[in-house]
């Protein structure tokens, strides 16, 4: 089912024309209503009328998370608070949270975008969706909730936590769609096994996972554990929340709502825009948002864009799974390392469980990296030779990707930490 065929299947030329029309309006709107943008434009002598082509977007200064924090809470808003009907935001664990607001138009648009993502993933009105995202300032719970209801699904707003109760609801309520982070989906599958619950006997058939990225290898693990089709969706608080993009059943990239956003890929070091197909940092501009419009927001997420039509019939630009974040990149003895590279190695091996931790330490003024990973079968722990063979294979496989030797520690099943929300895989204990 295609929710909005007019835009999801539109010709590229029609989309470009619409994007340019909406970009001109948004730039003028931001200049007139958001002091932050007016100041940025005036500092470089840029006027809204200078934006005449889509390429002219490159003249516009970038927006960053720091801009939101510097203008906390409401100075990035383009409308008075009486027109804002909903607030959302980030956790703000490292400073002021990022705050965004939605007008009634914004909520309606957002709901429609999530409906697109849901339909692309394969939901139908007869489905029963269990939302295991936390409800609150986080955009995931409410975003998916209203979008799924618009499609016509029955929604169970379980929220996060109480994992055994989640599984009971799947059994009793006949849940067919699961909404959660991918790491929590893995934890649900593991807990179900401990409870003696066979997912093959449940009605669950589809997952819409977001809030954090997950590799192709983890996607396969989730599909095996839960006996479902795993689809990923992507969004950011600053941009809109979930609904910016999402995978269809083909699972070959996440379809972007081109009529509502312009996406660019830049070199994160130079800020230069890269050609279609090259990997770099995703930059997003909103085209119709009223409450908190956004111009060239640097997401810090590393991906690439594809513009060839998809087998599902949609013609929208697609983005690859995020391979890392510029602020998550680890520099170990001069080598750039993304946690997702290590995850891809580990989850591609049969003898390890999908639970791991990356520990960084300093030894004799040098950075050291240790990868802790659970073995899949506790019986391996009884064979020293089998353990050493597995440890060597993991070490060699990681070396082939990173060109770096790492310490590999094998842990007993169920000993590493599990997560109900976003997984925190890296523990940085470096002292220098």
């Amino acid at each position: 089912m295609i929710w909005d065929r007019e835009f999801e299947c539109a010709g590229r030329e029609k989309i470009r024309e619409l994007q340019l029309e909406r970009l001109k309006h948004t730039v003028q709107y931001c200049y007139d209503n958001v002091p932050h943008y007016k100041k940025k434009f005036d500092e470089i002598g840029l006027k809204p009328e200078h934006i005449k082509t889509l390429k002219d977007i490159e003249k516009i200064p970038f927006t960053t998370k720091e801009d939101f924090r510097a203008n906390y809470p409401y100075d990035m808003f383009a409308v008075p608070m009486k027109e804002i009907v909903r607030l959302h935001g980030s956790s703000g664990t490292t400073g002021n949270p990022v705050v965004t607001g939605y007008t009634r138009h914004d909520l309606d648009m957002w709901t429609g975008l999530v409906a697109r993502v849901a339909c692309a993933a394969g939901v139908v009105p007869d489905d029963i969706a269990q939302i295991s995202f936390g409800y609150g300032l986080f955009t995931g719970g409410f975003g998916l909730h209203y979008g799924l209801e618009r499609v016509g699904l029955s929604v169970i707003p379980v929220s996060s936590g109480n994992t055994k109760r989640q599984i009971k609801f799947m059994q009793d309520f006949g849940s067919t769609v699961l909404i959660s982070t991918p790491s929590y989906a893995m934890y649900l599958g593991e807990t179900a096994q401990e409870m003696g619950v066979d997912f093959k006997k449940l009605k669950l058939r589809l997952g819409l996972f977001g809030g954090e990225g997950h590799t192709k290898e983890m996607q396969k693990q989730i599909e095996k554990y839960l006996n479902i089709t795993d689809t990923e969706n992507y969004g950011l608080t600053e941009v809109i929340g979930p609904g910016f993009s999402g995978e269809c059943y083909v699972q070959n990239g996440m379809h972007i709502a081109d009529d509502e956003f312009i996406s660019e890929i830049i070199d994160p070091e130079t800020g230069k825009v890269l050609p279609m197909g090259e990997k770099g940092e995703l930059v997003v501009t909103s085209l119709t948002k009223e409450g908190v419009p956004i111009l060239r927001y640097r997401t810090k997420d590393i991906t690439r864009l594809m513009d060839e039509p998809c087998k599902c019939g949609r013609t929208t630009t697609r983005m690859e799974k995020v391979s890392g974040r510029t602020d998550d990149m680890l520099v170990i003895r001069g080598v750039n390392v993304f946690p997702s590279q290590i995850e891809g190695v580990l989850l591609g091996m049969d003898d390890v469980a999908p639970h791991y931790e990356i520990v960084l330490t300093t030894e004799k003024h040098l950075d050291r990296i240790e990868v802790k990973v659970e073995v899949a079968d506790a019986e391996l722990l009884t064979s020293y030779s089998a353990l050493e063979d597995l440890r060597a294979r993991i070490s060699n496989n990681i070396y082939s990707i990173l060109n770096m030797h790492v310490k590999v520690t094998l842990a007993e099943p169920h000993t590493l930490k599990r997560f109900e929300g976003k997984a925190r895989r890296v523990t940085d204990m470096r002292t220098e």
Side-chain angles (χ1 to χ4, degrees), residues 189-322:
E190 184 180 70
T191 303
Q193 285 186 343
E194 294 171 0
M195 296 169 61
V197 175
D198 185 356
F199 269 93
K200 292 181 180 179
K201 296 181 180 179
L202 300 184
K203 294 183 178 180
L204 200 69
R205 65 176 190 85
L206 177 65
L208 274 69
F209 301 122
E212 63 184 10
H214 62 310
T215 59
K216 280 287 186 182
E217 291 79 8
M218 188 173 189
Q219 193 170 35
K220 292 176 182 176
Q221 288 273 11
I222 291 173
E223 291 185 331
K224 178 182 176 182
Y225 261 49
L226 274 64
N227 193 42
I228 62 173
T229 298
D230 172 319
T231 67
E232 182 175 355
N233 56 80
Y234 173 90
L236 304 95
T237 299
E238 300 88 334
V239 172
I240 189 70
F244 171 80
S245 66
E247 272 187 311
C248 67
Y249 62 87
V250 179
Q251 296 176 309
N252 186 28
M254 292 176 274
H255 291 272
I256 297 171
D258 288 334
D259 54 315
E260 296 289 351
F261 305 100
I262 293 177
S263 306
E264 305 170 83
I265 297 292
I266 66 168
D267 181 317
E269 298 294 329
T270 66
K272 180 182 177 182
V273 176
L274 300 176
M276 179 68 68
E278 290 198 21
K279 183 169 288 190
E281 180 182 351
L282 177 66
V283 172
V284 178
T285 296
S286 67
L287 295 176
T288 69
K289 280 180 71 182
E290 293 179 343
V292 186
I294 196 83
L295 297 178
R296 303 197 81 199
Y297 182 72
R298 293 189 62 159
T299 67
K300 297 188 177 181
D301 288 321
I302 303 299
T303 183
R304 73 181 185 95
L305 302 179
M306 303 165 278
D307 63 356
E308 63 271 15
C310 181
K311 292 179 181 178
C312 72
R314 293 170 179 81
T315 56
T316 48
T317 306
R318 284 168 291 141
M319 59 179 282
E320 241 180 17
K321 285 178 173 293
V322 172

Side-chain angles (χ1 to χ4, degrees), residues 40-41 120 157 165 246 249 290:
K40 287 284 189 181
F41 276 46
R165 181 168 172 260
Y249 62 87
E290 293 179 343

Side-chain angles (χ1 to χ4, degrees), residues 383-411:
S383 172
Y384 178 80
S385 60
L387 280 177
E388 286 304 302
D389 176 69
L390 176 58
R391 193 194 325 270
R393 284 190 288 121
I394 294 172
S395 181
N396 290 336
N397 289 348
I398 292 177
Y399 182 83
S400 69
I401 297 298
L402 302 183
N403 197 30
M404 174 193 297
H405 291 291
V406 305
K407 178 182 179 181
V408 176
T409 300
L410 300 178

Side-chain angles (χ1 to χ4, degrees), residues 63-75:
T63 305
T64 66
K65 187 183 292 287
E66 288 67 36
D67 292 326
F68 274 87
R69 288 176 171 160
N71 289 281
Y72 173 85
Y74 301 140
D75 287 349

